[in-house]
Amino acid sequence: MKANKYWKTNIRYIGILLSLWFLISFGCGILFVEQLNLIHIGGFKLGFWFAQQGSIFGFVIIIFVYIFLMNKLDQSK
């Protein structure tokens, strides 16, 4: 029974984090690019930044969040 709860929690974490990754990469890089381009960072439009680097940084952050969440879940087991 505990293993079932563990895997349900793991799948929930994966679903949330993949949705967040989709929002960062596809949403900010493609769908909301025109609104984000109104903001400039370091001389570049924010939409361009998300399309080029922001989605990669977001993905790396999501990896570390997943590691943190899974370590916490493993300790509570």
Side-chain angles (χ1 to χ4, degrees):
M1 191 67 164
K2 271 192 156 189
N4 195 18
K5 183 180 176 188
Y6 175 86
W7 284 108
K8 282 184 181 181
T9 304
N10 185 15
I11 295 299
R12 189 178 75 224
Y13 287 159
I14 291 172
I16 291 168
L17 293 174
L18 283 177
S19 299
L20 190 63
W21 181 41
F22 175 79
L23 182 67
I24 291 170
S25 63
F26 191 75
C28 293
I30 297 172
L31 296 178
F32 308 121
V33 71
E34 289 156 8
Q35 293 87 355
L36 291 173
N37 279 340
L38 299 175
I39 302 168
H40 292 265
I41 293 181
F44 296 100
K45 296 177 181 180
L46 188 59
F48 172 78
W49 184 84
F50 265 108
Q52 299 302 315
Q53 296 177 8
S55 59
I56 296 168
F57 287 140
F59 183 64
V60 171
I61 290 169
I62 286 171
I63 289 170
F64 284 111
V65 168
Y66 180 72
I67 291 168
F68 173 78
L69 290 172
M70 290 309 296
N71 283 336
K72 190 174 158 184
L73 184 62
D74 287 341
Q75 288 174 357
S76 69
K77 209 170 100 168

